Every structure is written in structure tokens, then in C-alpha cells.
Amino acid sequence: MDLINNAITVQLPAYLSALKVPTSLDQAAGLDFNDWLNMLPVVVAGSIVLLAPVLAAVKMGGGSSKKKAMVNPTIEKSKAKVVHMCTFSEIEDTAKDGKAAYCRCWRSGSFPLCDGSHTAHNKATGDNVGPLVINCKK
Ligand code: FES
């Protein structure tokens, strides 16, 4: 503990007060190589503090992770938008035991109807998606 305490209360302030931080371009031009080298740890630490939130944001949802955010991996990918329209009577026609199940996981082999593929998807990914079940019984 004494080592850490000494580093924070003695060594760090001494290091920072010894830095030649330029306040103008003229002062910056007058610094030698060792002056710049002494500032390197501060510049690196500051860059990490400033860039860490940006890098975390890019990793979570931006940049090249666009493909990871896709919901639909395979269905009608040549279309700009996948849309299905149906009538109430068509829903009733697809119903089994009075219920029609429509896929919401985008993994069904009989999309837009649910074929149970969500079970394998959930097991493989830890997701929890399931179908929209329409009760057609009156
Ligand atoms: S197969 Fe997609 S919700 Fe069942």
C-alpha cells in the first residue's frame, strides 16, 4: 500500500510538475525530443480515456458490426424490404387446431409461418424469440 500511496502522492505529482507542457506553438517548437518523450505517457493515457467510449460505441452498434445487427439472415435478401400481406380468411386457412403461428425469428423454412426453427435459434444464441400466435377460434 505504501508503494501505491507514494506513487500517487509523490511520484505522479513530481512527474506532472516536471513536464514541459507547451502553451503556444512557439513553446512547442522549442521542446526537444526528451521533452516530447516525457509527455508520451500522458498523451497515451489521455487518448485511451478519450477514445475508449468511442471504441465501445463502435463495437456495440456502429462501424463494421452492421451485419451482426441484421435480424433477417436469409429470407428474400434480394428485396429491399420483406413484406407479407394476408387476409383474415388466409390466416384461418393456415390455422392448425384453431391457431396460426407466424414467425418472428426470421429462421423459419416456411416463412412467414413458424416452423419451430426458433427453438434451435434460441438454443444456439441464448435468444428468446417465438412466434406470433393468432387464435382463430371464435
Ligand atoms: S420459426 Fe421463427 S418464430 Fe418460430
Side-chain angles (χ1 to χ4, degrees):
M1 271 323 239
D2 285 345
L3 201 64
I4 295 171
N5 183 41
N6 183 47
I8 293 173
T9 60
V10 178
Q11 300 293 325
L12 184 61
Y15 162 73
L16 291 173
S17 65
L19 285 179
K20 294 180 183 174
V21 179
T23 56
S24 68
L25 287 176
D26 286 342
Q27 284 184 355
L31 295 179
D32 64 23
F33 179 76
N34 283 334
D35 294 332
W36 287 107
L37 197 60
N38 286 337
M39 283 192 282
L40 190 61
V42 173
V43 171
V44 170
S47 299
I48 290 171
V49 168
L50 292 175
L51 289 177
V54 174
L55 294 174
V58 168
K59 186 176 181 183
M60 287 178 65
S64 62
S65 65
K66 183 179 177 185
K67 193 125 186 147
K68 288 182 184 174
M70 280 191 188
V71 172
N72 175 11
T74 58
I75 298 169
E76 300 179 37
K77 295 304 282 184
S78 62
K79 294 182 177 178
K81 184 190 307 184
V82 179
V83 177
H84 294 102
M85 296 183 73
C86 61
T87 64
F88 288 119
S89 64
E90 289 170 331
I91 293 172
E92 288 174 333
D93 290 346
T94 63
K96 295 174 183 163
D97 298 327
K99 293 178 182 173
Y102 284 82
C103 178
R104 295 190 302 175
C105 75
W106 292 83
R107 268 63 179 180
S108 175
S110 58
F111 197 87
L113 299 175
C114 171
D115 70 355
S117 296
H118 59 268
T119 303
H121 166 74
N122 288 343
K123 196 171 186 176
T125 64
D127 211 340
N128 65 347
V129 294
L132 165 66
V133 178
I134 300 172
N135 188 346
C136 300
K137 294 177 184 169
K138 294 178 182 172

